[in-house]
Amino acid sequence: MNAHAFRLSTWVAAALLAGCVNLAPVYSRPDAPVAPAWPASAGANEAKDGATAATAAAPAATGWESFISDDRLRRTIALAIANNRDLRVALQNIEKARAQYGVQRAELFPSIAATAGGTRQRNAAATSSSGESSIGSTYTVALGFSSYELDLFGRLRNLNEAALQSYLSTEATTRSTRISLVAEVASAWLTLAADNERLKLAQSTLASQQRSYALTSRMKALGAGTALALAQSQTTVDSARVDVASYTAQVAQDRNALDLLAGATVPDELLPPAGMAAASALLDVPAGLPSTLLQQRPDVLSAEHTLQASNADIGAARAAFFPTISLTASAGSSSTALSGLFKGGNSAWSFAPSISLPIFNAGSNRASLDAAKAQREIDLATYEKTVQTAFREVADALAVRASLGEQLAAQQSLVDATQKSYTLSDALYRNGSYSFLEVLDAQRSLYTAQQTLIGLRLSEQSNRITLFKVMGGGDTASSS
């Protein structure tokens, strides 16, 4: 009896120790295959463009509501977050992944079910011990579980871990989708503002050209002008008309694009006003900021969770080489009469353990393990490429930021100079000292300079949005 108890305790201890086995490789975050910091010339601490920097904050800690300074744009983004269909799909993907994780986690526990049944059969006389046929009945009711696997080698735990990491990866992907949506809506809104300003400039230029044409026509009628000057004035009017028509169509397209991103028609009161006023804060990127900050980007986190899931899959594949122990048990009552089913003395139980030891499967387990290891290498390369891409996106945005301030200042100076040149040439033409061709050239230079300035202002605002996005900011609890 003592020997039997000793053997039983030995088996129990062995089972408990085996339950602590986890065959998955120990996970450690891979080293980022990028420089420890962004290039010194990439625009850190660049805030020389005269833009508002008072609200600058750490990029990853800044929510989009704090980053976006224009109330109309904030409300437009909120409308998009509530209605954008791509974001809705991403949010439902989270729910799906959460449910799949719940299904996998349930495998760690036995599935207990209540069963009830009855049979009634006629026994032939030839098989009856009494030599006479008989009719018998059996009724049973039981509570138990079937084929519950004891997770001695961590197969189920690793499958559960893989499902959890897949869920976390999906959640991070949704955060990335939300940040991208914020950036896309802001960019579309700013583009609409810029094209509205271009349209306003084209309309103003057309009105000016029409006035010049009327003046040139009167001068020709009085004999002070030439047919050439009148024809040249007509070309400028027609060119301005083309620009007005073109920008009118472009503004309509911008509006349609914004409505699509918002998932609903954006009310007129939320549309950008005329002019390119600052719509967002300027992120302050301190010099020497470590590139490890990128590991907080949602897309990088998603790639890492996928890598962790494949790491757990290796553990599950390794466990397939070891025995699988399953338990089936039930307890209840059985009787030949339905009325006696719950009477004393009719209790019944069963316990049926089973063990399965893989001996030969034509290399299936080995192939599954090799596939899991290969997938881990694929996910590792994907993670490293995601980090490298993130590093480049930030470095590019900072490089652009470094020169935008100087470009804007130079372009504004050019606009002022060409405006003065046009004003002087027009005055000299009216006094008869200049030809209309010289006025036309000055006017074209002014128009081109003004258009370029609008484009640069848009680029500066878009760069703020891009920098905010690539630094991983913008996802706050209130934005979900």
Side-chain angles (χ1 to χ4, degrees):
M1 186 69 179
N2 291 336
H4 175 71
F6 174 75
R7 286 196 298 270
L8 180 60
S9 62
T10 301
W11 278 103
V12 170
L16 291 175
L17 288 174
C20 298
V21 173
N22 190 337
L23 301 177
V26 177
Y27 176 79
S28 60
R29 174 177 285 176
D31 294 332
V34 295
W38 286 285
S41 60
N45 277 334
E46 288 290 339
K48 302 176 182 179
D49 55 2
T52 302
T55 57
T62 304
W64 67 263
E65 299 98 327
S66 301
F67 170 68
I68 301 298
S69 59
D70 189 283
D71 180 65
R72 284 164 296 212
L73 179 53
R74 276 199 297 264
R75 292 163 62 191
T76 302
I77 292 174
L79 179 67
I81 290 176
N83 295 284
N84 183 268
R85 271 43 178 192
D86 290 335
L87 185 57
R88 285 186 183 180
V89 170
L91 290 172
Q92 290 306 310
N93 283 336
I94 286 184
E95 297 302 319
K96 178 182 176 181
R98 182 185 289 118
Q100 290 173 335
Y101 168 61
V103 170
Q104 185 58 56
R105 187 174 183 274
E107 295 292 328
L108 296 173
F109 307 95
S111 297
I112 299 175
T115 60
T119 60
R120 185 173 177 81
Q121 64 181 19
R122 180 181 184 277
N123 298 316
T127 61
S128 173
S129 59
S130 63
E132 298 179 355
S133 62
S134 63
I135 297 176
S137 301
T138 302
Y139 301 95
T140 60
V141 61
L143 186 69
F145 56 86
S146 177
S147 300
Y148 170 59
E149 180 180 342
L150 295 179
D151 193 27
L152 301 181
F153 299 97
R155 187 183 77 87
L156 295 179
R157 279 174 291 150
N158 279 309
L159 290 176
N160 179 69
E161 177 66 16
L164 173 61
Q165 295 301 328
S166 295
Y167 160 66
L168 295 176
S169 175
T170 303
E171 188 177 45
T173 298
T174 301
R175 288 175 52 209
S176 181
T177 301
R178 185 182 294 112
I179 293 173
S180 295
L181 176 62
V182 170
E184 288 176 7
V185 172
S187 295
W189 193 88
L190 291 169
T191 299
L192 176 58
D195 285 340
N196 266 325
E197 188 171 5
R198 290 187 177 109
L199 175 59
K200 182 180 178 182
L201 175 61
Q203 290 171 335
S204 174
T205 301
L206 175 60
S208 175
Q209 299 291 3
Q210 288 173 333
R211 289 193 297 269
S212 294
Y213 177 79
L215 175 61
T216 304
S217 179
R218 287 196 300 271
M219 292 176 64
K220 181 179 179 300
L222 296 174
T226 64
L228 176 60
L230 186 61
Q232 290 172 335
S233 181
Q234 180 65 51
T235 62
T236 62
V237 171
D238 293 338
S239 178
R241 288 174 58 197
V242 169
D243 283 352
V244 169
S246 175
Y247 286 123
T248 299
Q250 188 60 54
V251 166
Q253 291 175 347
D254 293 343
R255 177 71 182 269
N256 293 337
L258 185 60
D259 288 345
L260 177 61
L261 287 171
T265 301
V266 179
D268 291 341
E269 61 268 19
L270 300 186
L271 296 179
M276 282 293 297
S280 62
L282 176 62
L283 283 179
D284 183 25
V285 183
L289 192 68
S291 60
T292 53
L293 179 68
L294 294 176
Q295 291 172 339
Q296 300 305 313
R297 272 184 37 153
D299 56 340
V300 175
L301 287 174
S302 176
E304 184 176 9
H305 286 307
T306 300
L307 177 59
Q308 289 175 293
S310 62
N311 198 69
D313 284 336
I314 293 177
R318 285 175 174 173
F321 289 88
F322 295 86
T324 300
I325 299 177
S326 298
L327 304 178
T328 298
S330 66
S333 179
S334 178
S335 174
T336 57
L338 187 61
S339 60
L341 188 60
F342 295 102
K343 291 183 177 180
N346 290 334
S347 62
W349 60 268
S350 67
F351 179 66
S354 66
I355 183 170
S356 175
L357 177 64
I359 296 176
F360 176 75
N361 55 21
S364 174
N365 287 345
R366 172 59 59 183
S368 296
L369 178 58
D370 290 343
K373 289 180 177 179
Q375 185 61 50
R376 184 188 184 280
E377 293 303 312
I378 292 172
D379 292 335
L380 174 60
T382 300
Y383 169 77
E384 292 176 337
K385 179 62 180 297
T386 303
V387 172
Q388 290 175 332
T389 301
F391 183 88
R392 180 194 169 179
E393 289 176 348
V394 174
D396 286 349
L398 290 175
V400 172
R401 164 63 52 191
S403 62
L404 271 175
E406 183 63 28
Q407 291 183 56
L408 278 169
Q411 190 64 34
Q412 183 61 62
S413 178
L414 178 61
V415 169
D416 294 341
T418 52
Q419 177 66 62
K420 184 176 181 180
S421 174
Y422 169 68
T423 301
L424 292 173
S425 60
D426 184 62
L428 290 172
Y429 167 70
R430 293 172 185 269
N431 290 330
S433 301
Y434 258 34
S435 68
F436 187 75
L437 183 61
E438 292 169 307
V439 176
L440 181 61
D441 182 64
Q443 192 174 50
R444 286 172 176 168
S445 296
L446 174 61
Y447 183 66
T448 301
Q450 290 172 326
Q451 291 278 19
T452 303
L453 180 60
I454 294 172
L456 277 175
R457 287 174 177 169
L458 175 61
S459 296
E460 192 277 332
Q461 287 288 301
S462 297
N463 176 260
R464 297 185 186 198
I465 301 297
T466 299
L467 187 58
F468 181 70
K469 173 187 173 184
V470 299
M471 293 295 285
D475 189 48
T476 61
S478 59
S479 63
S480 58

